[in-house]
């Protein structure tokens, strides 16, 4: 598991990053899901083997930190996820979102 440090919040978002050369797939869980550990069976499907697969634990869920000074709304999640994706050097990707993860575009 890897981590992305958010300086402005002094916390860490954690994620898995599985290698692949095809267009990356960013997996974002929903409110009812516990985090990235709900997606390994989906990400491990043979049809997706060639894709880079990034399974994120949103702040407040899974293995990511749960900062008290964070506004847990869609706009706030979008803000740090945009910076996260840019830090990975990803220009385009497929978004696999469930529930709340669908609204983070």
């Amino acid at each position: 598991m890897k981590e992305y440090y958010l300086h402005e919040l002094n916390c860490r978002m954690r994620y898995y990053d599985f290698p692949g050369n095809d267009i990356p797939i960013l997996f974002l869980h929903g409110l009812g899901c516990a985090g990235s550990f709900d997606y390994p069976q989906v990400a491990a499907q043979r049809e997706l083997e060639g894709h880079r697969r990034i399974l994120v634990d949103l702040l407040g869920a899974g293995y990511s930190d749960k900062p008290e000074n964070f506004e847990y709304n869609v706009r706030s999640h979008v803000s740090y996820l945009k910076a996260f994706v840019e830090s990975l050097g990803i220009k385009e990707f497929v978004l696999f979102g469930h529930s709340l993860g669908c609204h983070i575009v």
Side-chain angles (χ1 to χ4, degrees):
M1 177 161 268
K2 297 182 177 187
E3 54 185 47
Y4 174 72
Y5 183 70
L6 291 91
H7 295 278
E8 65 280 356
L9 296 170
N10 189 31
C11 67
R12 289 171 174 76
M13 181 201 81
R14 294 184 173 84
Y15 64 100
Y16 292 100
D17 191 349
F18 299 105
N21 294 320
D22 293 341
I23 188 168
I25 304 172
L26 181 66
F27 290 83
L28 299 178
H29 63 81
L31 291 174
C33 297
S36 62
F37 37 83
D38 289 329
Y39 290 123
Q41 287 182 310
V42 175
Q45 291 181 37
R46 188 171 39 117
E47 294 82 6
L48 302 180
E49 283 178 350
H51 294 271
R52 180 177 181 185
R53 290 142 295 156
I54 304 160
L55 289 66
V56 171
D57 279 340
L58 297 172
L59 287 181
Y63 297 110
S64 287
D65 291 348
K66 293 137 185 79
E68 292 181 21
N69 59 334
F70 181 70
E71 294 182 30
Y72 291 90
N73 59 43
V74 172
R75 183 174 294 138
S76 297
H77 285 293
V78 167
S79 179
Y80 73 83
L81 287 169
K82 180 180 184 296
F84 167 67
V85 168
E86 289 171 353
S87 77
L88 295 175
I90 296 174
K91 302 287 188 237
E92 62 178 344
F93 60 92
V94 172
L95 177 63
F96 183 100
H98 175 260
S99 182
L100 172 66
C102 292
H103 296 283
I104 301 174
V105 184

